């Protein structure tokens, strides 16, 4: 480990420089460490062309080996580099593990290597695509992305990710910690099916702040004038919508999530969010300012997804139509870009605008592994089925999940209640179900599926299909009351909070929550 201690008396700076060069430059040739040459090409298994990919090349001690000129990512145990399709690297003789991945639609490829002195080894890693979502009309996006703009073209291709807003304008607590580029060319295409935007903004004010919102699809920069507690997040949401942008509650469990939903500010709800990563599940929540977890199950790896889902279900039961979203926070968290992604089904050719329109309409599912499909009476998620009780018509439900991981179960949920659970019995990684329901009330239906949990958990969740029975209200009064209680808790918190800079800032926060409370109070007595 290098320290900032001064050199010992009599030690020359030249000697220290030589030591540092030898320590930090493992690729230098040395008589004591003869090299081997490893050359790797990454192929799409269905063809004979190289494709960009994500690579894990580790020595026997676990140290990541990186060829020169690569995009390298090392965060909290997630250590990899990106190849454009081929690379070469000089390595000392020894044992190595090589793994190549390219998003969830390809099977990972891996091998173990034993390199001998002076050996020149060539390897072709052929990645098998097990599903092609684009051919089915589905295109993927990662809504929470902190990577550098200049890396984005290579990363989108290496992860087989179609779309990513880039949160270049990031407010942390009460100050900007990144600066957006000039406002021209806000949306940038890599090719016909890969695109990213560069003026997207995250306002992240945690602990005693209201929470985090991501403002996406922006054409101009939204300025931040405030602090940790002022202004409320509805200010920024309104400005985003005014210019045709979108608001993603990157986690639906922040302090102000219920209030933003009630006031119509949320387009998407983060269900597959950045607490789920390739290395594990982050269980720390309350310290960041999220709402309390009422059940012990929510504090476990397997139960953590259920927490966000159950909050989301209560919002749906208040009559709000909010699509499922997903995001990885790559650049900050232990996840490659696109680890958590949301698929939207696009009508016609893929474009940035069409993709967001499909996502807003709820033709989507979020996932960090499985692919999940739901149809109700032949209609995709996001549809509204209007039926008459007098007809007593049954609806056909078809749901299917597929995965390369070990699937546990597929579940169909109606208004927060699990209607049907199908356990995995197919070693090929597929679960499907077909059945009929005869709705007795207005509401919504969605599908979710889970792989068997380990250190982390992989799952998927669709946006709902809505059922309007005789145009009756779908509201569940007890869930509206839950939201009243949520907002009362936050209003009491902010009445006592001593860190407001001005009395009028406290008044604005309380007015924001109070306006939302009136919405829920009205719903609770219907």
């Amino acid at each position: 480990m290098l320290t900032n201690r001064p050199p010992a008396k009599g030690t020359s700076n030249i000697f220290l420089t030589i030591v540092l060069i030898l320590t930090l430059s493992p690729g230098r040739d040395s008589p004591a460490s003869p090299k081997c040459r490893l050359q790797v090409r990454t192929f799409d298994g269905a063809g004979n062309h190289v494709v960009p990919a994500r690579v894990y090349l580790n020595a026997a001690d676990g140290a990541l080996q990186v060829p020169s000129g690569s995009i390298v990512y090392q965060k909290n145990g997630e250590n990899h580099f990106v190849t454009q399709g081929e690379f070469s690297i000089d390595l000392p003789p020894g044992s190595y593990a090589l793994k190549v991945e390219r998003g969830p639609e390809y099977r990972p490829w891996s091998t173990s290597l034993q390199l001998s002195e002076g050996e020149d080894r060539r390897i072709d890693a052929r990645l098998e695509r097990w599903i092609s979502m684009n051919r089915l009309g589905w295109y993927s996006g990662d809504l929470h992305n902190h990577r550098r703009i200049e890396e984005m073209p290579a990363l989108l291709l290496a992860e087989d990710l179609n779309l990513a807003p880039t949160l270049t304008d990031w407010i942390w607590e009460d100050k900007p910690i990144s600066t957006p580029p000039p406002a021209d060319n806000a949306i940038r295409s890599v090719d016909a099916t890969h695109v990213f935007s560069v003026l997207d903004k995250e306002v992240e004010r945690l602990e005693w702040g209201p929470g985090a919102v991501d403002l996406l699809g922006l054409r101009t920069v939204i300025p931040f004038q405030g602090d940790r507690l002022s202004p409320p997040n509805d200010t920024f949401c309104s400005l985003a919508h005014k210019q045709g942008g979108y608001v993603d509650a990157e986690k639906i469990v922040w302090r102000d999530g219920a209030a933003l939903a009630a006031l119509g500010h949320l387009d998407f709800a983060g269900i597959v969010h950045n607490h789920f990563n390739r290395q594990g599940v982050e269980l720390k929540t309350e310290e960041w300012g999220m709402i309390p977890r009422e059940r012990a199950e929510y504090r476990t790896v397997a139960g953590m997804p259920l927490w966000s889902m159950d909050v989301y279900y209560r919002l749906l039961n208040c009559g709000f139509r909010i699509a499922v979203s997903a995001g990885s926070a790559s650049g900050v968290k232990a996840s490659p870009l696109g680890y958590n992604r949301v698929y939207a089904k696009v009508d016609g050719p893929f474009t940035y605008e069409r993709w967001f329109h499909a996502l807003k309409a709820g033709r989507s599912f979020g996932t960090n592994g499985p692919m999940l499909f739901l149809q109700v009476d032949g209609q995709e998620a996001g549809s509204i089925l209007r039926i008459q009780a007098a007809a007593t018509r049954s609806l056909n439900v078809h749901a299917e999940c597929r995965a390369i991981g070990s699937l546990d179960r597929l579940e169909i949920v109606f208004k927060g209640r699990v209607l049907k659970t199908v356990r995995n019995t197919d070693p090929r990684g597929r679960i499907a179900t077909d059945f009929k329901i005869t709705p007795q009330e207005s509401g919504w239906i969605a599908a979710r599926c889970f792989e068997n949990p380990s250190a982390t958990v992989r799952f998927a969740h669709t946006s709902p299909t809505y059922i309007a029975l005789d145009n009756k209200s779908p509201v569940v009064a007890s869930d509206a009351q839950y939201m009243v209680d949520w907002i009362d808790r936050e209003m009491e918190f902010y009445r006592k909070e001593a860190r407001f800079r001005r009395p009028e800032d406290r008044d604005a926060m309380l007015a924001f929550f109070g306006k939302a409370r009136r919405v829920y109070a009205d719903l609770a007595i219907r």
Side-chain angles (χ1 to χ4, degrees):
M1 181 176 68
L2 301 179
T3 71
N4 292 322
R5 279 190 226 161
K9 186 176 181 180
T11 302
S12 72
N13 287 332
I14 293 175
F15 175 75
L16 280 177
T17 301
I18 293 171
V19 170
L20 286 170
I21 291 173
L22 292 176
T23 301
L24 297 177
S25 303
R28 288 179 62 90
D29 292 329
S30 163
S33 58
K35 298 298 180 184
C36 314
R37 168 60 62 94
L38 176 64
Q39 300 178 66
V40 177
R41 295 184 300 175
T42 54
F43 284 88
D44 186 315
N48 198 31
H49 61 280
V50 296
V51 290
R54 173 172 21 99
V55 180
Y56 303 81
L57 176 60
N58 301 100
D61 63 357
L64 180 68
Q65 310 299 302
V66 179
S68 61
S70 301
I71 296 174
V72 183
Y73 192 74
Q74 296 186 282
K75 293 281 185 183
N76 303 320
E78 176 60 31
N79 304 309
H80 66 258
F81 65 88
V82 166
T83 175
Q84 296 305 302
E86 53 187 316
F87 67 89
S88 61
I89 183 172
D90 291 336
L91 298 167
S95 299
Y96 297 90
L98 173 63
K99 186 171 188 177
V100 183
E101 298 185 5
R102 193 172 191 246
E105 297 179 36
Y106 286 81
R107 297 185 188 276
W109 181 97
S110 63
T111 190
S112 297
L113 305 172
Q114 182 65 46
L115 299 180
S116 303
E117 180 178 331
E119 181 178 2
D120 189 344
R121 180 80 65 89
R122 298 177 183 229
I123 293 178
D124 288 345
R126 295 192 176 273
L127 295 164
E128 177 191 354
R129 180 187 281 277
W130 66 275
I131 192 169
S132 178
M133 294 296 288
N134 288 180
R135 289 184 180 179
L136 298 173
W138 295 87
Y139 294 84
S140 58
D142 183 340
L143 298 191
H144 197 165
N145 162 39
H146 289 283
R147 302 302 290 266
R148 297 167 60 189
I149 293 174
E150 56 269 27
E151 297 177 342
M152 289 303 296
L155 294 177
L156 286 171
L157 297 177
E159 299 298 343
D160 191 34
L161 181 72
N162 298 114
L163 182 147
T166 309
L167 298 166
T168 59
D169 190 0
W170 184 12
I171 303 300
W172 172 257
E173 297 180 351
D174 57 3
K175 58 184 178 297
I177 62 172
S178 63
T179 304
D184 58 334
N185 197 16
I187 299 172
R188 304 182 184 183
S189 295
V190 181
D191 59 26
T193 56
H194 297 89
V195 62
F196 63 103
S197 49
V198 299
L199 296 182
D200 311 284
K201 185 184 191 77
E202 179 169 29
V203 182
E204 189 167 14
R205 298 177 293 172
L206 310 186
E207 298 177 293
W208 61 89
V213 291
D214 293 345
L215 314 177
L216 311 176
L218 304 183
R219 268 49 176 191
T220 61
V221 173
I222 293 177
F224 177 81
Q225 296 174 336
D227 54 50
R228 182 87 69 100
L229 292 168
S230 176
N233 277 329
D234 63 329
T235 300
F236 307 108
C237 298
S238 295
L239 291 171
H241 284 146
K242 187 175 181 179
Q243 61 173 271
Y246 301 90
V247 178
D248 180 37
E250 54 93 27
K251 281 184 281 292
I252 197 61
V253 290
W254 292 117
R255 290 186 187 281
D256 67 354
L260 292 173
L263 300 179
H265 291 298
L266 298 185
D267 299 298
F268 321 123
I271 301 301
V272 192
H273 53 69
N274 63 28
H275 275 230
F276 306 101
N277 60 63
R278 194 173 176 275
Q279 308 300 317
V281 176
E282 295 183 35
L283 297 176
K284 177 181 177 181
T285 60
E286 284 85 352
E287 298 92 329
W288 290 114
M290 299 178 202
I291 64 172
R293 288 176 287 183
E294 300 149 325
R295 292 163 47 188
E297 182 181 17
Y298 295 156
R299 301 179 181 92
T300 67
V301 168
M304 185 72 166
L306 302 178
W307 178 41
S308 297
M309 291 176 189
D310 288 347
V311 172
Y312 178 56
Y313 298 162
R314 291 179 185 274
L315 290 171
L316 296 176
N317 285 346
C318 289
F320 306 127
R321 294 173 181 167
I322 305 172
V324 162
S325 73
S328 306
S330 187
V332 178
K333 297 292 188 178
S335 290
L337 180 69
Y339 175 78
N340 297 325
R341 58 180 66 190
V342 56
Y343 281 86
K345 193 163 191 182
V346 176
D347 292 332
F350 169 81
T351 67
Y352 186 94
E353 292 78 10
R354 282 197 181 105
W355 188 87
F356 265 108
H357 184 267
L359 182 60
K360 172 65 176 176
R363 298 194 297 272
S364 65
F365 68 91
T367 183
N368 57 17
M371 300 298 154
L372 182 58
F373 308 93
L374 172 69
Q375 289 189 336
V376 181
D377 255 24
Q379 301 297 307
E380 302 283 358
S383 301
I384 304 173
L385 302 179
R386 303 186 186 279
I387 59 177
Q388 300 297 317
T392 61
R393 185 167 69 88
S394 294
L395 303 177
N396 298 307
V397 178
H398 171 78
E400 180 179 346
C401 62
R402 308 177 202 171
I404 55 174
S406 173
L407 282 171
D408 175 33
R409 68 193 189 276
L410 166 67
E411 295 180 330
I412 309 301
V413 182
F414 178 72
K415 298 189 78 169
R417 308 186 299 271
V418 176
L419 280 183
K420 190 176 184 67
T421 299
V422 184
R423 295 285 175 178
N424 183 33
T425 58
D426 189 338
R428 296 171 297 177
R430 177 180 179 273
I431 308 175
T433 185
D434 289 276
F435 64 99
K436 295 181 182 294
I437 61 170
T438 303
Q440 304 299 316
E441 58 183 323
S442 295
W444 55 269
I445 187 169
R448 65 189 191 186
C449 66
F450 302 85
E451 295 184 17
N452 289 300
S454 53
T456 191
V457 59
R458 293 181 183 252
F459 63 100
H461 200 295
T462 70
S463 291
T465 292
Y466 301 96
I467 298 171
L469 181 66
D470 290 341
N471 293 318
K472 293 181 179 178
S473 170
V475 172
V476 177
S478 60
D479 288 325
Q481 184 59 50
Y482 176 93
M483 297 300 169
V484 170
D485 297 340
W486 175 345
I487 288 181
D488 283 346
R489 180 182 63 240
E490 301 309 325
M491 292 184 72
E492 182 63 18
F493 175 86
Y494 283 120
R495 287 189 188 99
K496 296 178 180 178
E497 176 53 57
R499 284 167 281 206
F500 284 99
R501 294 183 180 179
R502 303 175 303 170
E504 51 264 42
D505 294 339
R506 184 196 310 276
D507 293 342
M509 185 70 82
L510 292 175
F512 159 64
F513 276 102
K515 186 177 180 181
R517 188 190 190 283
R518 290 191 289 274
V519 173
Y520 288 117
D522 180 59
L523 293 174
I525 59 175
R526 288 189 180 182

